Each structure stands twice: as C-alpha cells, then as structure tokens.
Amino acid sequence: MEATTEKLPYEPTKKLVHTKPGTKMTNEEFALYLQQIKHLAENEFDYLQGEVEVTNRFPKKFFELAIDNDLYRFALPLKYGGFGLSCSQIFQVQEMFSRGPGGMRMHLHYAADLNWRILDEFGQPELKADVMPKLQDKSIFTCFALTEETGGTGADLHTTAVKDGDDYILNGEKTLISHTDCSDAAYVIAVTDPDAEGDKRLSAFYVPVDTPGYEIVPMPHMMGCRGAGHAGLKFTNMRVNKKYLLGEEGDGLHVAIASLSISRAHIASSNLGMSQRMLEMAIARAKDRVTFGKPLAKRQAIQQEIADMGTEIFALRTMLHNLADQYDRGEDIEEKAAMCKLFSINTVKLVSDYCLEIFGGIGYFEDNPYGPVERMYRDCRAMWLEEGPRSVQRLTAARKLIANDGIIE
C-alpha cells in the first residue's frame, strides 16, 4: 500500500538569496530576502503553529527552516558569518518574521540580538573564539536569565555568585525565562558583592546548561507566544569557572542594561510587523464584508479606524528608522529604544483591538480564512510585559529627558 503524502495548504518557500556567509548582502539580494522571510512566516511557520498551540514545543522542522533561511545568521557581524546588514535592515527582517507566530517571533528576535550580542560585547576572548562561530547555525543557543520572582530585574536581584578560588558558586532562582528547552547555555545575572552600591552588586556569567546544579523548572502554558520554552531556572551550588565571567566583576547591571536597550527596539520592530499584518487582514475583511448592501470599507466609521491604524504604524516605522540610523552611527539609543517600545505597545494594542472589531465574531475563531486574527490578538499581549512593561519604558525615557532638559537628539 502506497504511503500518502499530505497536501500542504501553501506553496513552499523558495530560497531567493544565496549570499555566501561572511559576505555583505547587496540591496537587490536584501529585497529578495525580505520577500523570502515574509512568505516563510505566513506559510510554513503559520502552518507549524497549529501543532505548537497544542504541544507548546517547536517541532524539529521549525529549527531546520530557520537554519535553512539564515535566520540565526542574518544579524551577525560579517566576521561571524553574517551578511553585513545595517540596524535598519535587521529591523526590516524582524518585521517580516514577526508577521508569523508569536513564539517563533520571540525565538528569532532573541537569535537576532541577545543570543550573540552579549557574548560578543562582554565575553572573554577564548570563550568568544569557541562559541561565536557556533551561533550562526544554532549549534549553540542561549537564554537570558535575569528576571526573578523574589525581586525585580535590576539591582535588587537575589541570585548569588560567591567567589571560591578560580570559580564562582551560584545559588538562586530565575523565572519567566524564554528558550530554556532549546538552550545550550544561559546568560545569568547574579549578586557577587552584596555590600557594594547598586550598580556594582551584580556580575554576569555565561553558564553551560550541563553545569551540575542547573535545573529547569516547568511553568504553565502561556496565553500566547506558545512554544517559546518559558520556564524557571534553579541554581544549586553551581560551580562556574571565572573564564565564564562576562566583562569584569561588578559589570552585571551594565551588561543587562546595555543588552536590553537595542533589544527593546527589536521588540518594537516585532510590534510593527504584527500591526502591519493585522492592518492588512482588517482591510481585506472590510472590503469583503457587505452589510445592508455596502462593504464595511465604504463606511466612515471603519475608515476612521483604518486611518488610525495606519497612522500609528507609519509613526512607529519612522521612529525605528530614526533610532536605527543613530545606532549605526554608534550613538546612545537607550532613551529612544524605550520610547519606541512604549509607542509600539500602544500601536499594537490599538491595531489589534480595531482589527478584531472590524472582523467581528469571525475574528474570535481559530482557522480564520483571512489569517490568524485570534492567535495574533493573543500573541501581541506578551509585548505588555516582554523586557519591561510600559511603566519601565516611561521611567527610562523620563530619566534621559530630565537629564537633557527635554532635548531629544
């Protein structure tokens, strides 16, 4: 009896770009790459997410597709096998894959930034030489262990790292940590000097997950962003050699803040991608849905909502372009990154609410013929919390604004 082959509800993504690793991608190649990633996100990734919503785990096929489409490589510097993309170009790729499932977006956003950036900027030379080449195809993947249930995410952390000869002994717990199920190492922020002033209490470590005393603590399924491997971590008398120290002892808060600044702008790019797709789905539905002999798109009330959605998206995209230019010039972007993330949360909230409102009851169901309205509505709610809520972004922006007497460079 012949085996049956499942007929897929989409055309498989074609690899449009074959830029050699470590070679700068041309503008023409980049335009094709954006098309490739958009198609991948809205087809293979969307299709695989049906399984992920139930299992809460990415299938092997997801990782294979991400590797084949250079999604672990594209944001790396040229010397590590990247394509020499600017910050603005990296944001555009992030926008494209963020049109797909939220958990996959979360994984790929991390791959494009924190996964490599922390080690590149703060790792010891020998550690970097060993690990950095392995990040381009997920031979090594990491997670970022900062948040704790018993404290905040800044100087009041409670996980400890006590010096013992050439080692540090780590004890403590972390919570709400992404990618724990597919990581080979964790970036851990811990207290090395409890008597020091706030900024110098903490240090940062690269910790292989096979270190004795490293334990993953399961957590319940989330509302959205399924598959992103969220769990707690527990460290019990975990011995970590000093070669795994990131930066100098006492640099932990600096490592965290410096890493999160640009990462928050990446999240804003994700909100842009989700918002753009939801606007497109809402307009398609508004053109098709006829009530009392008239398409919704011809009704002024709906037109006003669509105009508000588009205005928010345009403003967010403009903000991100401005920040990216500043980042590529090597300027400080902490203030603008906080502003971009803050504005992007407001944008995706307004757009997702209007999108569901325009769809009406059909938008509340799974398997919507226009696209994953219901799932995206759930997925985007993670942005209220990911890498700091709106209140944290306001405080970060306000601190800089006050120091500069309200001048925004």
Side-chain angles (χ1 to χ4, degrees):
M1 186 174 182
E2 294 185 4
T4 57
T5 302
E6 179 186 11
K7 182 174 175 57
L8 298 173
Y10 59 83
E11 288 294 324
T13 298
K14 295 179 181 178
K15 190 160 185 175
L16 304 176
V17 180
H18 299 276
T19 308
K20 184 179 177 181
T23 303
K24 187 172 177 58
M25 192 178 280
T26 66
N27 290 337
E28 292 77 14
E29 289 172 330
F30 180 70
L32 291 172
Y33 187 62
L34 290 180
Q35 294 179 32
Q36 177 181 319
I37 300 308
K38 178 177 181 289
H39 188 277
L40 179 71
E42 296 181 11
N43 291 278
E44 283 93 338
F45 285 177
D46 270 0
Y47 180 74
L48 290 174
Q49 188 64 20
E51 174 185 338
V52 177
E53 288 293 314
V54 177
T55 65
N56 201 29
R57 293 185 66 88
F58 296 144
K60 181 181 178 183
K61 182 66 175 176
F62 164 69
F63 299 113
E64 293 173 346
L65 286 166
I67 293 169
D68 289 345
N69 287 274
D70 296 310
L71 286 172
Y72 295 107
R73 180 193 305 281
F74 80 94
L76 289 173
L78 283 170
K79 62 182 178 180
Y80 297 127
F83 299 126
L85 301 184
S86 67
C87 183
S88 178
Q89 289 176 313
I90 291 170
F91 284 171
Q92 290 176 66
V93 179
Q94 173 120 16
E95 179 184 342
M96 289 303 130
F97 65 64
S98 296
R99 296 171 67 95
M104 296 179 186
R105 184 280 312 167
M106 191 176 286
H107 177 89
L108 296 171
H109 149 228
Y110 183 84
D113 185 49
L114 292 177
N115 188 48
W116 65 269
R117 191 181 303 278
I118 294 175
L119 184 61
D120 184 39
E121 294 185 0
F122 301 103
Q124 308 293 339
E126 289 185 9
L127 182 62
K128 287 171 61 174
D130 177 45
V131 176
M132 289 299 296
K134 300 174 183 175
L135 298 175
Q136 58 187 303
D137 61 359
K138 203 183 171 295
S139 294
I140 286 184
F141 198 76
T142 68
C143 61
F144 184 47
L146 175 64
T147 304
E148 296 181 2
E149 186 174 353
T150 56
T153 56
D156 65 336
L157 298 178
H158 296 90
T159 296
T160 60
V162 178
K163 192 75 178 290
D164 182 31
D166 287 340
D167 297 333
Y168 291 85
I169 310 300
L170 272 65
N171 284 280
E173 296 185 28
K174 301 290 183 176
T175 191
L176 293 168
I177 308 304
S178 310
H179 328 300
T180 59
D181 59 343
C182 65
S183 293
D184 305 281
Y187 298 119
V188 179
I189 312 296
V191 177
T192 47
D193 187 353
D195 298 323
E197 294 189 11
D199 286 358
K200 292 298 181 182
R201 294 180 70 246
L202 307 178
S203 297
F205 301 88
Y206 175 95
V207 180
V209 301
D210 59 1
T211 303
Y214 185 104
E215 179 184 354
I216 297 175
V217 182
M219 296 183 71
H221 286 201
M222 298 192 299
M223 176 196 301
C225 295
R226 298 278 174 86
H230 279 79
L233 296 177
K234 185 176 181 180
F235 312 132
T236 305
N237 295 326
M238 192 167 61
R239 185 172 290 272
V240 177
N241 190 268
K242 65 181 182 181
K243 70 180 181 180
Y244 292 118
L245 181 67
L246 299 169
E248 302 292 334
E249 192 172 300
D251 284 349
L253 192 60
H254 172 62
V255 171
I257 291 175
S259 303
L260 289 176
S261 288
I262 187 62
S263 184
R264 285 169 174 164
H266 277 263
I267 290 176
S269 298
S270 290
N271 282 334
L272 177 60
M274 287 188 286
S275 296
Q276 181 65 50
R277 188 178 184 191
M278 285 188 282
L279 171 61
E280 293 168 15
M281 291 190 298
I283 290 174
R285 174 63 175 168
K287 287 180 175 179
D288 289 347
R289 174 64 168 160
V290 176
T291 61
F292 299 96
K294 191 184 218 180
L296 292 181
K298 291 188 177 295
R299 300 189 180 277
Q300 287 188 357
I302 300 301
Q303 291 174 356
Q304 290 176 18
E305 292 184 347
I306 289 172
D308 286 348
M309 295 161 80
T311 300
E312 291 277 325
I313 289 169
F314 171 64
L316 176 57
R317 182 172 281 114
T318 303
M319 290 175 71
L320 282 166
H321 282 319
N322 177 272
L323 178 144
D325 288 343
Q326 190 168 327
Y327 183 82
D328 282 335
R329 292 194 301 268
E331 299 173 14
D332 177 50
I333 49 86
E334 183 183 8
E335 172 191 31
K336 287 187 177 178
M339 289 178 171
C340 285
K341 182 168 188 274
L342 173 63
F343 189 84
S344 76
I345 295 172
N346 297 334
T347 296
V348 80
K349 181 179 187 302
L350 178 142
V351 171
S352 61
D353 283 347
Y354 278 169
C355 179
L356 188 62
E357 189 174 309
I358 290 170
F359 268 88
I362 192 176
Y364 204 64
F365 286 84
E366 297 178 2
D367 300 322
N368 192 307
Y370 292 87
V373 178
E374 175 269 343
R375 191 200 71 218
M376 293 188 77
Y377 190 87
R378 287 186 289 111
D379 283 347
C380 75
R381 264 61 198 165
M383 300 309 200
W384 275 235
L385 312 166
E386 192 174 335
E387 295 184 19
R390 283 180 285 188
S391 57
V392 170
Q393 312 313 317
R394 291 188 182 104
L395 290 172
T396 301
R399 185 173 63 247
K400 291 278 187 177
L401 286 168
I402 293 169
N404 296 328
D405 297 322
I407 303 299
I408 305 171
E409 296 295 336

